[in-house]
Coordinates of all heavy atoms in Angstrom, one line a residue:
M1 N 0.9 -1.2 0.0 CA 0.0 0.0 0.0 C 0.9 1.2 0.0 O 1.9 1.3 0.8 CB -0.9 0.0 1.2 CG -1.8 1.2 1.3 SD -2.7 1.4 2.9 CE -3.4 -0.2 3.1
R2 N 0.5 2.2 -0.8 CA 1.4 3.4 -0.9 C 1.2 4.2 0.4 O 0.2 4.2 1.1 CB 1.0 4.3 -2.1 CG -0.4 4.8 -2.2 CD -0.6 5.5 -3.4 NE -1.4 4.7 -4.4 CZ -2.0 5.2 -5.4 NH1 -1.9 6.5 -5.7 NH2 -2.7 4.4 -6.2
A3 N 2.3 4.9 0.7 CA 2.4 5.7 1.9 C 1.3 6.7 2.1 O 0.8 6.9 3.2 CB 3.8 6.4 2.0
E4 N 0.9 7.4 1.0 CA -0.2 8.4 1.0 C -1.5 7.8 1.6 O -2.1 8.3 2.4 CB -0.4 8.9 -0.4 CG -1.6 9.7 -0.6 CD -1.9 9.9 -2.1 OE1 -1.1 9.6 -3.0 OE2 -3.0 10.5 -2.4
L5 N -1.8 6.6 1.1 CA -3.1 5.9 1.5 C -2.9 5.4 3.0 O -3.8 5.6 3.8 CB -3.4 4.7 0.6 CG -4.7 4.0 0.9 CD1 -5.9 4.9 1.0 CD2 -4.9 2.9 -0.1
R6 N -1.8 4.9 3.3 CA -1.5 4.5 4.7 C -1.7 5.6 5.7 O -2.4 5.5 6.7 CB -0.1 3.9 4.8 CG 0.2 3.2 6.1 CD 1.6 2.6 6.1 NE 1.8 1.7 5.1 CZ 2.8 1.8 4.1 NH1 3.6 2.8 4.2 NH2 2.9 0.9 3.2
A7 N -1.1 6.8 5.4 CA -1.2 7.9 6.2 C -2.7 8.4 6.3 O -3.1 8.8 7.4 CB -0.3 9.0 5.7
K8 N -3.4 8.4 5.2 CA -4.8 8.9 5.2 C -5.6 8.0 6.1 O -6.5 8.4 6.9 CB -5.3 8.9 3.8 CG -6.7 9.4 3.6 CD -7.1 9.5 2.2 CE -8.3 10.2 2.0 NZ -8.7 10.4 0.5
I9 N -5.4 6.7 6.0 CA -6.2 5.7 6.8 C -6.0 5.9 8.3 O -6.9 6.0 9.1 CB -5.9 4.3 6.3 CG1 -6.5 4.0 4.9 CG2 -6.5 3.3 7.4 CD1 -6.1 2.7 4.3
I10 N -4.7 6.0 8.7 CA -4.4 6.2 10.1 C -5.0 7.5 10.6 O -5.6 7.6 11.7 CB -2.9 6.2 10.3 CG1 -2.4 4.7 10.1 CG2 -2.5 6.7 11.7 CD1 -0.9 4.5 10.2
T11 N -4.9 8.6 9.8 CA -5.5 9.9 10.2 C -7.0 9.8 10.4 O -7.5 10.3 11.4 CB -5.1 11.0 9.2 OG1 -3.7 11.1 9.1 CG2 -5.8 12.3 9.5
V12 N -7.7 9.2 9.4 CA -9.1 9.1 9.5 C -9.5 8.2 10.7 O -10.5 8.6 11.5 CB -9.7 8.5 8.2 CG1 -11.2 8.1 8.4 CG2 -9.6 9.5 7.1
C13 N -8.8 7.1 11.0 CA -9.2 6.3 12.1 C -9.0 7.0 13.4 O -9.8 6.9 14.3 CB -8.3 5.0 12.0 SG -8.8 3.8 10.8
H14 N -7.9 7.7 13.6 CA -7.6 8.5 14.8 C -8.7 9.5 15.0 O -9.2 9.7 16.2 CB -6.2 9.1 14.8 CG -5.2 8.1 15.1 ND1 -5.1 7.5 16.3 CD2 -4.1 7.7 14.4 CE1 -4.0 6.7 16.4 NE2 -3.4 6.8 15.2
K15 N -9.1 10.2 14.0 CA -10.2 11.2 14.1 C -11.5 10.6 14.5 O -12.2 11.2 15.3 CB -10.3 12.0 12.8 CG -9.2 13.0 12.6 CD -9.5 13.8 11.3 CE -8.3 14.8 11.0 NZ -8.5 15.5 9.8
K16 N -11.8 9.5 13.9 CA -13.1 8.8 14.3 C -13.0 8.4 15.7 O -14.0 8.5 16.5 CB -13.3 7.6 13.4 CG -13.8 8.1 12.0 CD -14.2 6.9 11.2 CE -15.5 6.4 11.7 NZ -16.3 5.5 11.0
I17 N -11.9 7.8 16.2 CA -11.8 7.4 17.6 C -11.9 8.6 18.5 O -12.6 8.5 19.5 CB -10.4 6.7 17.8 CG1 -10.4 5.4 17.1 CG2 -10.1 6.5 19.3 CD1 -9.0 4.7 17.0
E18 N -11.3 9.7 18.2 CA -11.4 11.0 19.0 C -12.9 11.4 19.1 O -13.3 11.9 20.2 CB -10.6 12.1 18.4 CG -9.1 11.9 18.6 CD -8.3 13.1 17.9 OE1 -8.9 14.1 17.6 OE2 -7.1 12.8 17.7
T19 N -13.6 11.4 18.0 CA -15.0 11.9 18.0 C -16.1 10.9 18.4 O -17.1 11.3 19.0 CB -15.4 12.5 16.6 OG1 -15.3 11.5 15.6 CG2 -14.5 13.7 16.2
K20 N -15.8 9.6 18.2 CA -16.9 8.7 18.4 C -16.5 7.6 19.5 O -17.4 6.8 19.8 CB -17.3 8.0 17.1 CG -17.8 8.9 16.1 CD -18.4 8.2 14.9 CE -19.0 9.3 14.0 NZ -19.9 8.8 13.1
G21 N -15.3 7.7 20.0 CA -14.9 6.7 21.0 C -14.1 5.5 20.5 O -14.0 5.3 19.3
D22 N -13.7 4.8 21.5 CA -12.8 3.6 21.2 C -13.4 2.5 20.5 O -12.8 1.6 19.9 CB -12.2 3.1 22.5 CG -11.1 4.0 23.0 OD1 -10.5 4.7 22.2 OD2 -10.8 3.9 24.2
N23 N -14.7 2.4 20.5 CA -15.4 1.2 20.0 C -15.9 1.5 18.5 O -16.7 0.7 18.0 CB -16.6 0.8 20.9 CG -17.0 -0.6 20.7 OD1 -16.2 -1.4 20.4 ND2 -18.2 -0.9 21.0
V24 N -15.5 2.5 17.9 CA -16.0 2.9 16.6 C -15.4 1.9 15.5 O -14.3 1.4 15.6 CB -15.6 4.3 16.2 CG1 -14.2 4.5 16.1 CG2 -16.4 4.8 15.0
G25 N -16.3 1.7 14.5 CA -15.9 0.8 13.4 C -15.8 1.7 12.1 O -16.3 2.8 12.0
V26 N -15.1 1.1 11.1 CA -14.9 1.8 9.9 C -14.9 0.9 8.7 O -14.7 -0.3 8.9 CB -13.5 2.6 10.0 CG1 -12.3 1.6 10.0 CG2 -13.3 3.5 8.8
S27 N -15.3 1.4 7.6 CA -15.2 0.6 6.3 C -14.2 1.3 5.4 O -13.9 2.5 5.7 CB -16.5 0.4 5.6 OG -16.8 1.5 4.9
F28 N -13.7 0.7 4.4 CA -12.7 1.4 3.6 C -13.3 2.6 2.8 O -12.6 3.5 2.4 CB -12.0 0.4 2.6 CG -12.9 -0.1 1.5 CD1 -13.0 0.6 0.3 CD2 -13.6 -1.3 1.6 CE1 -13.8 0.1 -0.8 CE2 -14.3 -1.8 0.6 CZ -14.4 -1.1 -0.6
Y29 N -14.6 2.7 2.7 CA -15.2 3.8 2.1 C -15.0 5.1 2.9 O -15.1 6.2 2.3 CB -16.7 3.6 1.9 CG -17.1 2.5 0.9 CD1 -17.7 1.4 1.3 CD2 -16.8 2.7 -0.5 CE1 -18.0 0.4 0.3 CE2 -17.1 1.8 -1.4 CZ -17.7 0.6 -1.0 OH -18.0 -0.4 -1.9
A30 N -14.8 5.0 4.2 CA -14.6 6.1 5.0 C -13.4 7.0 4.6 O -13.3 8.1 5.0 CB -14.5 5.7 6.5
F31 N -12.5 6.4 3.9 CA -11.3 7.1 3.5 C -11.4 7.9 2.2 O -10.4 8.5 1.8 CB -10.1 6.1 3.4 CG -10.1 5.2 4.5 CD1 -10.2 3.8 4.4 CD2 -10.0 5.6 5.9 CE1 -10.1 2.9 5.4 CE2 -10.0 4.8 6.9 CZ -10.0 3.4 6.7
F32 N -12.6 8.0 1.7 CA -12.8 8.7 0.4 C -14.0 9.6 0.4 O -14.9 9.3 1.2 CB -13.0 7.6 -0.7 CG -11.8 6.7 -0.9 CD1 -11.7 5.5 -0.2 CD2 -10.7 7.1 -1.6 CE1 -10.6 4.7 -0.3 CE2 -9.6 6.3 -1.7 CZ -9.5 5.2 -1.1
A33 N -14.0 10.6 -0.4 CA -15.2 11.5 -0.6 C -16.3 10.7 -1.2 O -16.1 9.6 -1.7 CB -14.8 12.6 -1.5
N34 N -17.5 11.2 -1.2 CA -18.7 10.5 -1.8 C -18.6 10.5 -3.3 O -19.4 9.8 -3.9 CB -20.0 11.2 -1.3 CG -20.3 10.9 0.1 OD1 -19.9 10.0 0.7 ND2 -21.0 11.9 0.7
K35 N -17.7 11.1 -3.9 CA -17.5 11.0 -5.3 C -16.2 10.2 -5.6 O -15.3 10.2 -4.8 CB -17.4 12.4 -6.0 CG -16.3 13.3 -5.5 CD -16.4 14.6 -6.1 CE -15.3 15.5 -5.5 NZ -15.3 16.8 -6.0
N36 N -16.2 9.6 -6.7 CA -15.1 8.7 -7.1 C -14.1 9.6 -7.8 O -13.9 9.5 -9.1 CB -15.6 7.6 -8.0 CG -14.6 6.5 -8.2 OD1 -13.5 6.6 -7.7 ND2 -14.9 5.5 -9.0
D37 N -13.3 10.4 -7.1 CA -12.3 11.3 -7.7 C -10.9 10.6 -7.8 O -10.1 11.2 -8.5 CB -12.2 12.6 -6.9 CG -11.9 12.4 -5.4 OD1 -11.8 11.2 -5.0 OD2 -11.7 13.4 -4.8
D38 N -10.7 9.5 -7.3 CA -9.4 8.8 -7.4 C -9.7 7.3 -7.5 O -9.4 6.6 -6.5 CB -8.5 9.1 -6.3 CG -7.0 8.7 -6.6 OD1 -6.8 7.8 -7.5 OD2 -6.1 9.3 -5.9
P39 N -10.2 6.7 -8.6 CA -10.5 5.3 -8.7 C -9.4 4.4 -8.4 O -9.6 3.3 -7.8 CB -11.1 5.1 -10.1 CG -10.7 6.3 -10.8 CD -10.4 7.4 -9.9
E40 N -8.2 4.7 -8.8 CA -7.0 3.8 -8.5 C -6.7 3.7 -7.1 O -6.5 2.6 -6.6 CB -5.8 4.3 -9.3 CG -5.9 4.2 -10.8 CD -4.6 4.6 -11.5 OE1 -3.6 4.8 -10.8 OE2 -4.7 4.8 -12.7
L41 N -6.8 4.8 -6.3 CA -6.6 4.7 -4.9 C -7.7 4.0 -4.2 O -7.5 3.2 -3.3 CB -6.5 6.2 -4.3 CG -5.8 6.3 -3.0 CD1 -4.4 5.8 -2.9 CD2 -5.9 7.7 -2.5
L42 N -8.9 4.2 -4.6 CA -10.1 3.5 -4.1 C -9.9 1.9 -4.3 O -10.1 1.2 -3.4 CB -11.4 3.9 -4.7 CG -12.7 3.2 -4.3 CD1 -12.9 3.4 -2.8 CD2 -13.8 3.7 -5.1
M43 N -9.5 1.5 -5.5 CA -9.3 0.1 -5.8 C -8.1 -0.5 -5.0 O -8.2 -1.6 -4.5 CB -9.1 -0.1 -7.3 CG -10.3 0.1 -8.1 SD -11.7 -0.9 -7.5 CE -11.1 -2.6 -7.8
E44 N -7.1 0.4 -4.7 CA -6.0 -0.1 -3.9 C -6.5 -0.4 -2.5 O -6.1 -1.4 -1.9 CB -4.9 1.0 -3.9 CG -3.6 0.5 -3.2 CD -2.5 1.5 -3.3 OE1 -2.5 2.3 -4.2 OE2 -1.7 1.6 -2.4
A45 N -7.3 0.5 -1.9 CA -7.8 0.4 -0.6 C -8.7 -0.9 -0.5 O -8.7 -1.7 0.4 CB -8.6 1.6 -0.1
A46 N -9.6 -1.0 -1.5 CA -10.5 -2.1 -1.6 C -9.8 -3.5 -1.7 O -10.1 -4.4 -1.0 CB -11.5 -2.0 -2.8
T47 N -8.8 -3.5 -2.5 CA -8.0 -4.7 -2.6 C -7.3 -5.1 -1.3 O -7.3 -6.2 -0.9 CB -6.9 -4.6 -3.8 OG1 -7.6 -4.3 -5.0 CG2 -6.1 -5.8 -3.9
W48 N -6.7 -4.1 -0.7 CA -6.0 -4.3 0.6 C -7.0 -4.8 1.6 O -6.7 -5.8 2.4 CB -5.4 -3.0 1.1 CG -4.6 -3.1 2.4 CD1 -3.3 -3.5 2.5 CD2 -5.1 -2.8 3.7 NE1 -3.0 -3.4 3.9 CE2 -4.1 -3.0 4.6 CE3 -6.4 -2.4 4.1 CZ2 -4.3 -2.9 6.0 CZ3 -6.5 -2.2 5.5 CH2 -5.5 -2.4 6.4
W49 N -8.2 -4.2 1.7 CA -9.2 -4.5 2.7 C -9.8 -5.8 2.4 O -9.9 -6.7 3.4 CB -10.3 -3.4 2.6 CG -11.3 -3.4 3.7 CD1 -12.4 -4.1 3.9 CD2 -11.2 -2.5 4.9 NE1 -13.1 -3.8 5.0 CE2 -12.4 -2.8 5.7 CE3 -10.4 -1.5 5.3 CZ2 -12.7 -2.2 6.8 CZ3 -10.7 -0.9 6.5 CH2 -11.8 -1.2 7.2
I50 N -10.3 -6.1 1.2 CA -11.1 -7.3 0.9 C -10.2 -8.5 0.5 O -10.4 -9.6 1.1 CB -12.1 -7.0 -0.3 CG1 -13.0 -5.9 0.2 CG2 -12.8 -8.2 -0.7 CD1 -13.8 -5.2 -1.0
Q51 N -9.3 -8.3 -0.4 CA -8.5 -9.5 -0.9 C -7.3 -9.8 0.0 O -7.1 -11.0 0.4 CB -8.1 -9.3 -2.3 CG -9.2 -9.3 -3.3 CD -8.7 -9.1 -4.7 OE1 -7.8 -8.4 -5.0 NE2 -9.4 -9.8 -5.6
T52 N -6.6 -8.8 0.4 CA -5.4 -9.1 1.2 C -5.7 -9.5 2.6 O -5.1 -10.5 3.1 CB -4.5 -7.8 1.2 OG1 -4.2 -7.4 -0.1 CG2 -3.2 -8.1 1.9
H53 N -6.6 -8.8 3.3 CA -6.8 -9.0 4.7 C -8.2 -9.7 5.0 O -8.5 -10.0 6.1 CB -6.7 -7.7 5.5 CG -5.3 -7.3 5.5 ND1 -4.3 -7.9 6.3 CD2 -4.6 -6.3 4.8 CE1 -3.1 -7.3 6.1 NE2 -3.3 -6.3 5.2
R54 N -9.0 -9.8 4.0 CA -10.4 -10.4 4.1 C -11.1 -9.8 5.3 O -11.7 -10.6 6.1 CB -10.2 -11.9 4.2 CG -9.5 -12.5 3.0 CD -9.8 -14.0 2.9 NE -9.2 -14.5 1.7 CZ -9.6 -14.4 0.5 NH1 -10.7 -13.8 0.2 NH2 -8.9 -15.0 -0.5
L55 N -11.1 -8.5 5.4 CA -11.8 -7.8 6.5 C -13.3 -7.7 6.3 O -13.7 -7.7 5.1 CB -11.2 -6.4 6.7 CG -9.8 -6.4 7.1 CD1 -9.3 -4.9 7.1 CD2 -9.5 -7.0 8.4
D56 N -14.1 -7.7 7.3 CA -15.5 -7.5 7.2 C -15.8 -6.1 6.7 O -14.9 -5.3 6.7 CB -16.2 -7.7 8.6 CG -16.2 -9.2 9.0 OD1 -16.1 -10.1 8.1 OD2 -16.2 -9.4 10.2
H57 N -17.1 -5.8 6.4 CA -17.4 -4.5 5.9 C -17.0 -3.4 6.9 O -16.4 -2.4 6.6 CB -18.9 -4.4 5.6 CG -19.3 -3.1 5.0 ND1 -19.0 -2.8 3.7 CD2 -20.0 -2.1 5.5 CE1 -19.4 -1.5 3.5 NE2 -20.1 -1.1 4.6
F58 N -17.4 -3.6 8.2 CA -17.0 -2.7 9.3 C -16.0 -3.4 10.2 O -16.2 -4.5 10.6 CB -18.2 -2.2 10.1 CG -19.0 -1.2 9.4 CD1 -20.1 -1.5 8.7 CD2 -18.6 0.2 9.3 CE1 -20.9 -0.6 8.0 CE2 -19.3 1.1 8.7 CZ -20.5 0.7 8.0
V59 N -14.9 -2.7 10.5 CA -13.8 -3.2 11.4 C -13.5 -2.1 12.4 O -13.5 -0.9 12.0 CB -12.6 -3.6 10.5 CG1 -11.5 -4.0 11.4 CG2 -12.9 -4.7 9.5
K60 N -13.2 -2.5 13.6 CA -12.8 -1.5 14.6 C -11.6 -0.7 14.1 O -10.6 -1.3 13.6 CB -12.5 -2.2 15.9 CG -13.6 -3.0 16.5 CD -14.8 -2.0 16.8 CE -15.9 -2.9 17.4 NZ -17.2 -2.2 17.3
D61 N -11.6 0.6 14.3 CA -10.5 1.5 13.9 C -9.2 1.0 14.4 O -8.2 1.1 13.8 CB -10.8 2.9 14.3 CG -11.9 3.5 13.4 OD1 -13.0 2.8 13.3 OD2 -11.8 4.6 12.9
H62 N -9.2 0.6 15.7 CA -7.9 0.2 16.3 C -7.3 -1.0 15.6 O -6.1 -1.0 15.5 CB -8.1 -0.2 17.8 CG -8.4 1.0 18.7 ND1 -7.4 1.9 19.0 CD2 -9.5 1.4 19.4 CE1 -7.9 2.8 19.8 NE2 -9.1 2.6 20.0
K63 N -8.1 -1.9 15.1 CA -7.6 -3.1 14.4 C -7.0 -2.6 13.1 O -5.9 -3.1 12.7 CB -8.7 -4.1 14.2 CG -8.2 -5.3 13.4 CD -9.3 -6.4 13.3 CE -8.8 -7.6 12.5 NZ -9.8 -8.6 12.4
V64 N -7.6 -1.7 12.4 CA -7.1 -1.2 11.1 C -5.7 -0.6 11.3 O -4.7 -0.8 10.6 CB -8.1 -0.3 10.4 CG1 -7.4 0.3 9.1 CG2 -9.4 -1.0 10.1
I65 N -5.6 0.3 12.3 CA -4.4 1.0 12.6 C -3.3 -0.1 13.0 O -2.2 0.0 12.5 CB -4.6 2.0 13.8 CG1 -5.5 3.1 13.4 CG2 -3.2 2.5 14.3 CD1 -5.9 4.0 14.5
E66 N -3.6 -1.1 13.8 CA -2.7 -2.1 14.1 C -2.2 -2.9 12.9 O -1.0 -3.1 12.8 CB -3.4 -3.1 15.1 CG -2.5 -4.2 15.6 CD -3.3 -5.2 16.5 OE1 -4.0 -4.7 17.4 OE2 -3.3 -6.4 16.2
I67 N -3.0 -3.2 12.0 CA -2.6 -3.9 10.8 C -1.6 -3.1 10.0 O -0.6 -3.5 9.5 CB -3.8 -4.3 9.9 CG1 -4.7 -5.4 10.7 CG2 -3.4 -4.8 8.6 CD1 -6.0 -5.7 10.0
I68 N -2.0 -1.8 9.8 CA -1.1 -0.9 9.0 C 0.2 -0.7 9.6 O 1.3 -0.7 9.0 CB -1.8 0.4 8.7 CG1 -3.0 0.2 7.8 CG2 -0.9 1.5 8.2 CD1 -3.9 1.4 7.5
Q69 N 0.2 -0.5 10.9 CA 1.5 -0.3 11.6 C 2.4 -1.6 11.6 O 3.6 -1.5 11.4 CB 1.2 0.1 13.1 CG 0.7 1.5 13.2 CD 0.4 1.9 14.6 OE1 0.1 1.1 15.5 NE2 0.3 3.2 14.9
K70 N 1.7 -2.7 11.7 CA 2.5 -4.0 11.6 C 3.1 -4.1 10.2 O 4.3 -4.5 10.1 CB 1.6 -5.2 11.9 CG 2.3 -6.5 11.9 CD 1.3 -7.6 12.3 CE 2.1 -9.0 12.3 NZ 1.2 -10.1 12.5
E71 N 2.3 -3.8 9.2 CA 2.9 -3.9 7.8 C 4.0 -2.9 7.6 O 4.9 -3.2 6.8 CB 1.8 -3.6 6.8 CG 0.8 -4.7 6.7 CD -0.3 -4.5 5.6 OE1 -0.4 -3.3 5.1 OE2 -1.1 -5.4 5.3
S72 N 3.9 -1.8 8.2 CA 5.0 -0.8 8.0 C 6.3 -1.2 8.7 O 7.4 -0.8 8.2 CB 4.5 0.6 8.7 OG 3.4 1.1 8.0
E73 N 6.2 -2.0 9.7 CA 7.4 -2.5 10.4 C 8.1 -3.6 9.6 O 9.3 -3.9 9.7 CB 7.0 -3.1 11.7 CG 6.5 -2.0 12.7 CD 6.0 -2.6 14.0 OE1 5.9 -3.8 14.1 OE2 5.5 -1.8 14.8
E74 N 7.4 -4.3 8.7 CA 7.9 -5.4 7.9 C 8.8 -5.0 6.8 O 8.8 -4.0 6.2 CB 6.8 -6.3 7.4 CG 6.0 -6.9 8.5 CD 4.8 -7.7 8.0 OE1 4.4 -7.6 6.8 OE2 4.2 -8.4 8.8

């Protein structure tokens, strides 16, 4: 996953946790505007979410952050 997308996902997850609490869930659509202004980036996120990690539609934000941080360490 490109660094731009990784950073965006972590930022969005942290903001959601701050505003909605520790138990908040997220789907990969949360990282994009309601319009399809960057289809390649959307498909990259969808592939990472669905094919690579086989995540459910909604996943706890903390889990998503944990996965991304673990991948960054590898």
